[in-house]
Amino acid sequence: MVVELNRTDPRAIPDALLEEWVAAGEAAEGYSLVAYDVPCPSDELARDFVHARHVMNDAPRYEGEPEATYTVQELLAVEAASVAANQRWWNLGVRHDATGELVGLSEVYLPTHRPWIVFQGDTGVDPAHRGHGLGAWMKAVNHLRLRDEHPEVEVVQTWNASSNEPMLRINRALGFAPVQRFQAWYLPLA
């Protein structure tokens, strides 16, 4: 699998594009956003976000890599490590209102010791709920928040499988460009 290290300058993203994506997401009937900043304020919300992580199993994976599974305890442990490392972490999800299920998520990591850069973590939407602009909606909301709360950020960095066309399409529209490509592989733990 070929992986790209992609970067964009969030200050260069056109306001009109972000506003268009937010409007399209808000117009997607039957969906709403749910957000929290680490640490998660409730076990119920943590369970919802752990369940939503299944959407990443549909993203390209290394050959032989099993589907990822998560527990609330694992999520809370990673969140605690993030707090201990002095890194803020935003979690944004899309809820399917009819079922109450989170069907998408997007993460942003903000290391306080390097205030000029943030890291875009996972973004994904359940296949049954694609085609409504939900991924673009989440990314636009996060970028608007980033502009409002952290105008000092010069770089947003992310990693993408070069075969993940849907996410690359969103990222390219946001100005993300590859700065490095590398061949990656999965080595199972023995």
Side-chain angles (χ1 to χ4, degrees), residues 10 18 22 34-38 88-92 106-108 110 118 137-153:
L18 297 176
V22 168
V34 177
Y36 77 91
D37 295 353
V38 166
R88 293 174 308 263
W89 178 1
W90 298 345
N91 283 291
L92 184 61
S106 188
E107 308 167 307
V108 175
L110 303 98
V118 301
W137 183 20
M138 290 185 290
K139 287 219 175 188
V141 166
N142 277 335
H143 277 280
L144 289 169
R145 180 180 178 192
L146 190 62
R147 282 189 182 170
D148 288 345
E149 297 180 22
H150 297 283
E152 71 279 7
V153 172

Side-chain angles (χ1 to χ4, degrees), residues 20-86:
E20 175 187 332
W21 286 1
V22 168
E26 290 173 346
E29 207 167 305
Y31 296 95
S32 56
L33 295 179
V34 177
Y36 77 91
D37 295 353
V38 166
C40 189
S42 75
D43 288 347
E44 180 182 357
L45 189 58
R47 280 191 298 276
D48 289 348
F49 272 86
V50 163
H51 176 73
R53 295 206 63 78
H54 79 276
V55 303
M56 296 312 299
N57 285 323
D58 193 49
R61 294 193 305 271
Y62 308 111
E63 185 176 331
E65 181 180 6
E67 287 191 354
T69 59
Y70 304 93
T71 67
V72 170
Q73 293 75 21
E74 289 169 331
L75 174 65
L76 297 178
V78 172
E79 288 185 357
S82 184
V83 170
N86 206 22

